[in-house]
Amino acid sequence: MKILLAAILFFSGSIASVHALEQDRETCGNGAQQGALVLCQLMPSDKIWLDGREVMVAANGMTVFGIARDQLSAELLIKRPGHEDVKKQLLFESRAYQIERVNGLPPKTVTVPDGWKKRRAIENGRVAAGRAVVSADQYWRAVFLRPAEGRISGVYGSQRILNGKPRSPHYGLDIANDVGTPVRAPATGIVRLAASDFLLEGGIVIIDHGHGVTSTLFHMDTVIVKEGDIIDQGDPIGTIGAKGRASGPHVDWRMNWLNVRLDPGLAIGISDEKSGAIVDENN
Ligand SMILES: [Zn+2]
């Protein structure tokens, strides 16, 4: 099925900010792009809060948090024994997102029928639980890998109009390729959710990279890992499919810091600019 991905780009500033913005105690997070993961080198004895939410600091002083799609600022508080507190308002770099029209989706997946609601509640609960784990691992420090070969057919942040109906934004990076194309772990981690048949996601895997940073991959045709598995970066976890809310075979890669949805494109250096202004393709 043909899909028109009409993309309108407005750049409000530089797109040079990096995904893994490694900073120190004084600058931690300031100037980060919306959708970015921020890494800061602190002292092991430091304690840090972002908008009142305590953020884990590792034994080596590293900490990580994420910036939401539309977040413009946050209150940062860092406490270090014997020092004055760092308390400041962080300002983030705003982005303009594409407008994406997707037609030809199965109607049930666009407006979820009443009969699906109970099952969706269970599935949503499993996804939320899979993303809520805060483990001490620091696999988020690695350079992430693109999880599959193929065309980029959807990007983070797009305003979506599904079968003509305005919907919430798209938060993933879509990579389209043939059914059966291997999907690999973008970084090392522990599998927190593995299921083959979610209503909207089809085959879905959540990988915990530590400190609440997760990758979610879905629309998979097959899933070959199970919950609790420890997988290395690049290990196959399943194959590309068109299950769930998909009009053609692709994998949708999401990246989260807890419930904050981040841009996986930033993690592998794909900017809005590179994704192309107007494409017409299968999603
Ligand atoms: Zn998608």
Side-chain angles (χ1 to χ4, degrees), residues 122-182:
I122 293 166
E123 292 175 353
N124 287 335
R126 290 181 66 189
V127 170
R131 290 172 170 166
V133 180
V134 182
S135 59
D137 296 318
Q138 296 180 46
Y139 300 122
W140 38 269
R141 295 186 68 180
V143 175
F144 282 68
L145 288 181
R146 182 181 179 130
E149 296 293 322
R151 281 175 301 113
I152 304 298
S153 60
V155 295
Y156 174 89
S158 315
Q159 286 293 347
R160 297 202 113 183
I161 301 168
L162 306 183
N163 291 359
K165 294 175 180 152
R167 284 292 183 269
S168 56
H170 181 247
Y171 287 101
L173 183 75
D174 290 327
I175 303 173
N177 208 332
D178 296 336
V179 172
T181 303

Side-chain angles (χ1 to χ4, degrees), residues 116-129 193 198:
W116 282 20
K117 283 182 178 161
K118 200 171 164 191
R119 185 167 152 198
R120 275 313 287 166
I122 293 166
E123 292 175 353
N124 287 335
R126 290 181 66 189
V127 170
L193 173 66
F198 274 24

